[in-house]
Amino acid sequence: MENLIREYMNFLDDNKTERRCASSAIRIAIEHGYKNIEDVTSLKAGDKVYFDKMGKSVVLFNIGTDDIAKGMNILGAHIDSPRLDIKQSPIYEDTVYKTGLVYLNTHYYGGIKKYQWLALQLALYGVVYKADGTKVDIAIGDDPEDPVFCISDILPHLAQDQMKKTAAEFVEGEKLDAIMGVFPNVKDYKDPEFKKYAPGDAKKRILAIINEKYGITEDDFASAELELVPAGKTRFLGFDKTLILGYGQDDRVCGFTSLAAMMEVPAGSRTTCCILADKEEIGSAGATGMNSHLLDNAVAEVVARLDGNNTELTVRRALVNSLMLSSDVSTAFDPLNPGLYDAQNTSFLGKGVVFTKYTGSRGKSGASDANPEFIAKVRGTLYDADVHFQTAELSKVDVGGGGTIAHFAAEYGMQVLDCGVPVLSMHAPWEITSSYDVEQAYECYKAFLKI
């Protein structure tokens, strides 16, 4: 299990965006014998294929011996995480006060506490597509020799008015702009690099650096997908090193363990499937989210390549007869803020994987409510596999709530249960999990795939 935890921590460090997660998942799958479904014309029991959606979502299948119409065992996680997205026209210079500061304009993605992103080392990841279709990969801030970016904050001595605001008002979304550089506003600055430019050319200088290093012009940002994320490595937390502190653990902790389980479990009677989906943090919207036809389109591609009566009804039966664990995280109990939780119905760090029968908020709005028959089946499977689990709700009734991809999968008529890892400081730039819970999630997902 020590190897599993190290691999997980490396996975977090190497894959700070959904694109990088999807790319790594495909690479790992290929190493384990999976093929791109577009390169396969027919499928039989024992074949392994993956379905790539725009480089940001991946669906993997391990074909079983049973008719796929009898259903699949599905693990479904999401690989996007809260961050700061870069706007399409992002670079600007302070021309009002002529400070020489150059900024990167952002629009935050997902549910964040905006003030947590101030005065933090940030890395820039993503892709830029030039007008001729050339792709430029960007990864700046995690190599020790790289620069980082930062959103400045007001010093305490001048923050009297700021400190009177609510947390939601503490910093406006439009002020979450990161510093990219500064041009010294002195005419006789000695550095020969600066002599190429006049004061007031700060933006021009930054764009010249970007163009020299990456071949990108200002216009190319119109077709870019760039994200600011916390810079730095995942670390063990605490003297006993049983906790993990890292960015993006919601939900890459479940994405990684689901993928690892899928690679480990051989083909059986039922076809197994692993979904690594995008856009969960903004409602699973768009072509790469679960609130599209991501899953049924992928299943239809598989069905079309199987021998037998391959009809739309086969696809529908394959989905409605499936069993799915929505592999998503749950809130871990915080003893510093106990009033937010029903202590009898919450999850704790270090006590195993979490069953969440329903999510949603205010009377279970937006929830997928798992059937007890299915929960009993999963319980029995985990008892037999000696996997530790706990049950939980996200918070006290009416205190808060949230959603997962479960209800989108349930719309197909399949049995779905949320089952994942408890997380402390969820949606913060740095989140906390227990290495024991990561191990138990991996064992849980392996056992489930064998049902």
Side-chain angles (χ1 to χ4, degrees):
M1 287 300 177
E2 182 178 346
N3 288 338
L4 177 79
I5 297 304
R6 289 291 184 182
E7 289 174 8
Y8 167 57
M9 294 172 72
N10 289 337
F11 184 86
L12 288 179
D13 291 340
D14 293 340
N15 302 294
K16 290 188 174 181
T17 70
E18 66 282 3
R19 280 184 179 269
R20 293 175 73 93
C21 281
S23 178
S24 286
I26 290 171
R27 174 184 54 79
I28 292 168
I30 291 172
E31 290 171 356
H32 286 79
Y34 282 76
K35 297 179 180 180
N36 189 331
I37 197 164
E38 294 183 359
D39 300 328
V40 176
T41 57
S42 63
L43 290 171
K44 62 183 184 306
D47 287 344
K48 297 181 285 189
V49 291
Y50 67 87
F51 178 92
D52 175 15
K53 186 62 177 178
M54 298 182 180
K56 294 191 284 186
S57 292
V58 182
V59 187
L60 303 105
F61 298 91
N62 194 342
I63 308 301
T65 56
D66 284 353
D67 185 345
I68 197 171
K70 293 182 179 180
M72 301 169 286
N73 294 346
I74 303 173
L75 297 171
H78 69 90
I79 50 177
D80 61 313
S81 294
R83 76 260 179 165
L84 303 178
D85 283 345
I86 306 307
K87 292 185 178 181
Q88 304 315 117
S89 180
I91 301 177
Y92 69 93
E93 177 182 351
D94 166 32
T95 57
V96 176
Y97 302 102
K98 304 186 185 304
T99 59
L101 285 166
V102 182
Y103 289 90
L104 197 56
N105 205 340
T106 75
H107 189 146
Y108 65 93
Y109 172 97
I112 67 169
K113 293 179 177 177
K114 295 188 287 291
Y115 64 82
Q116 291 181 331
W117 291 77
L118 304 177
L120 187 71
Q121 294 184 42
L122 299 171
L124 182 66
Y125 282 92
V127 295
V128 178
Y129 278 90
K130 301 169 74 172
D132 63 2
T134 303
K135 175 186 175 184
V136 181
D137 287 303
I138 303 294
I140 309 168
D142 276 323
D143 186 288
E145 299 301 316
D146 283 348
V148 294
F149 308 92
C150 185
I151 302 167
S152 62
D153 194 11
I154 302 172
L155 67 159
H157 313 68
L158 304 181
Q160 291 89 342
D161 290 338
Q162 183 191 49
M163 299 294 281
K164 294 174 185 177
K165 296 180 180 180
T166 66
E169 300 167 333
F170 198 81
V171 57
E172 299 170 19
E174 281 291 354
K175 291 184 178 180
L176 289 177
D177 292 349
I179 295 173
M180 298 185 73
V182 65
F183 189 96
N185 194 10
V186 289
K187 295 180 179 179
D188 59 347
Y189 196 71
K190 304 298 183 184
D191 191 325
E193 178 65 26
F194 286 87
K195 289 185 176 181
K196 301 177 186 176
Y197 305 97
D201 284 347
K203 175 182 173 180
K204 181 179 178 182
R205 173 174 165 267
I206 293 297
L207 285 170
I209 293 171
I210 293 171
N211 182 258
E212 180 181 357
K213 188 171 181 62
Y214 299 103
I216 298 169
T217 67
E218 184 173 12
D219 289 346
D220 291 328
F221 285 97
S223 50
E225 192 169 80
L226 296 167
E227 306 171 12
L228 281 175
V229 298
K233 299 292 186 181
T234 304
R235 303 289 294 273
F236 284 113
L237 173 64
F239 282 113
D240 56 2
K241 295 185 176 181
T242 59
L243 299 174
I244 299 168
L245 182 70
Y247 166 68
Q249 298 200 74
D250 173 13
D251 181 38
R252 291 172 190 146
V253 63
C254 296
F256 170 82
T257 47
S258 294
L259 177 64
M262 189 72 177
M263 298 301 102
E264 180 71 19
V265 176
S269 57
R270 285 170 68 86
T271 292
T272 55
C273 171
C274 177
I275 306 165
L276 302 174
D278 183 26
K279 295 293 185 289
E280 191 275 344
E281 296 295 359
I282 57 170
S284 294
T288 55
M290 274 293 287
N291 192 21
S292 68
H293 291 282
L294 172 68
L295 179 57
D296 51 326
N297 282 344
V299 173
E301 293 289 346
V302 170
V303 167
R305 290 163 172 79
L306 292 170
D307 291 335
N309 185 24
N310 303 327
T311 66
E312 181 181 353
L313 183 58
T314 307
V315 176
R316 289 178 177 269
R317 285 175 174 168
L319 291 167
V320 77
N321 290 324
S322 288
L323 307 175
M324 176 174 168
L325 292 185
S326 172
S327 310
D328 206 344
V329 297
S330 185
T331 53
F333 180 78
D334 181 358
L336 297 180
N337 297 281
L340 301 175
Y341 307 89
D342 172 1
Q344 287 184 281
N345 291 279
T346 192
S347 60
F348 297 85
L349 292 175
K351 292 194 175 183
V353 72
V354 185
F355 291 173
T356 305
K357 186 178 188 295
Y358 45 81
T359 53
S361 59
R362 297 178 301 281
K364 301 184 183 180
S365 175
S368 171
D369 203 337
N371 288 335
E373 298 92 334
F374 180 44
I375 298 174
K377 187 179 186 72
V378 178
R379 283 179 59 213
T381 299
L382 298 195
Y383 286 144
D384 291 342
D386 195 26
V387 174
H388 290 178
F389 67 88
Q390 49 188 320
T391 62
E393 295 187 25
L394 294 179
S395 65
K396 278 184 176 179
V397 176
D398 288 337
V399 167
T404 66
I405 65 172
H407 65 291
F408 299 112
E411 288 178 2
Y412 295 115
M414 68 178 70
Q415 300 269 19
V416 185
L417 171 64
D418 278 302
C419 179
V421 172
V423 175
L424 198 60
S425 297
M426 191 189 299
H427 281 216
W430 299 99
E431 299 170 315
I432 301 168
T433 60
S434 161
S435 57
Y436 179 77
D437 298 334
V438 177
E439 296 167 3
Q440 292 300 292
Y442 169 66
E443 296 294 342
C444 166
Y445 298 151
K446 285 198 302 181
F448 172 76
L449 290 176
K450 297 174 184 177
I451 289 179

